Amino acid sequence: MDFYLNTKKSSNRLIEEYNKYRTLVIAFDFDDTVYDFHKKGRIYHDVIKLLQDLKSINCYLICWTGQEDANFVKGYFKENNIPFDAINENPPFHKSTSRKIYANAYLDDRAGLKQVFDELNNLVLTTKTKKYESFTINRWLQS
């Protein structure tokens, strides 16, 4: 089996990178990942909640989309409390002339969304549990 077809290894890679940098760059698609492009009444609350959680642990969020009206995208984000740092642009700390947006992980309805969602959700849970344990230990030491 190829190395990163093992989901435990790809999940561990994200956790290791997060622990090293205390941030990750997450790129997420707009259409049919957080926005109901085909107007079929689909909801994306779980992905939106995950993006909010990722922002709370200091992740850099890039929306990469084929939508041409960036103001529409920004307005949708504001209306739906979807955090983002950039649209179709690399983070300022990653200089590149490549057309591909740099990210540690990509959330996309057409590219293994469930696996990446689960891996990032695991990262959030692991990180928040560590913070809680650290907070609890510090309070215990102070008492």
Side-chain angles (χ1 to χ4, degrees):
M1 175 187 290
D2 293 5
F3 192 78
Y4 285 118
L5 288 178
N6 180 326
T7 56
K8 187 169 179 82
K9 290 177 180 169
S10 60
S11 183
N12 285 343
R13 175 172 64 177
L14 289 175
I15 292 170
E16 289 169 9
E17 291 172 342
Y18 180 83
N19 287 337
K20 182 175 181 181
Y21 300 107
R22 292 293 180 217
T23 187
L24 289 179
V25 178
I26 309 300
F28 64 98
D29 186 22
F30 184 72
D31 295 329
D32 288 329
T33 299
V34 296
Y35 172 72
D36 186 11
F37 179 76
H38 296 288
K39 308 291 186 213
K40 292 186 174 182
R42 294 175 178 155
I43 58 171
Y44 302 97
H45 296 156
D46 294 327
V47 173
I48 292 169
K49 173 73 169 82
L50 176 61
L51 291 170
Q52 294 165 342
D53 288 343
L54 290 166
K55 191 65 188 167
S56 77
I57 63 166
N58 197 39
C59 289
Y60 191 91
L61 304 177
I62 302 170
C63 173
W64 101 91
T65 179
Q67 286 277 341
E68 295 180 6
D69 186 351
N71 288 329
F72 170 74
V73 174
K74 289 176 185 174
Y76 182 81
F77 288 162
K78 186 174 181 179
E79 286 175 22
N80 292 282
N81 196 26
I82 300 172
F84 73 100
D85 296 293
I87 298 174
N88 291 339
E89 294 179 6
N90 274 314
F93 47 86
H94 180 81
K95 301 294 181 198
S96 172
T97 57
S98 171
R99 292 179 26 197
K100 182 178 179 184
I101 295 294
Y102 170 80
N104 297 95
Y106 298 84
L107 285 163
D108 188 332
D109 63 302
R110 294 186 179 265
L113 180 61
K114 175 70 172 140
Q115 179 184 335
V116 179
F117 175 87
D118 288 345
E119 291 178 359
L120 291 172
N121 212 22
N122 183 46
L123 170 74
V124 169
L125 293 173
T126 300
T127 302
K128 288 189 172 185
T129 300
K130 276 185 175 178
K131 285 181 181 174
Y132 175 77
E133 288 172 357
S134 175
F135 176 76
T136 302
I137 289 169
N138 286 338
R139 287 191 67 184
W140 178 76
L141 289 173
Q142 293 172 355
S143 61

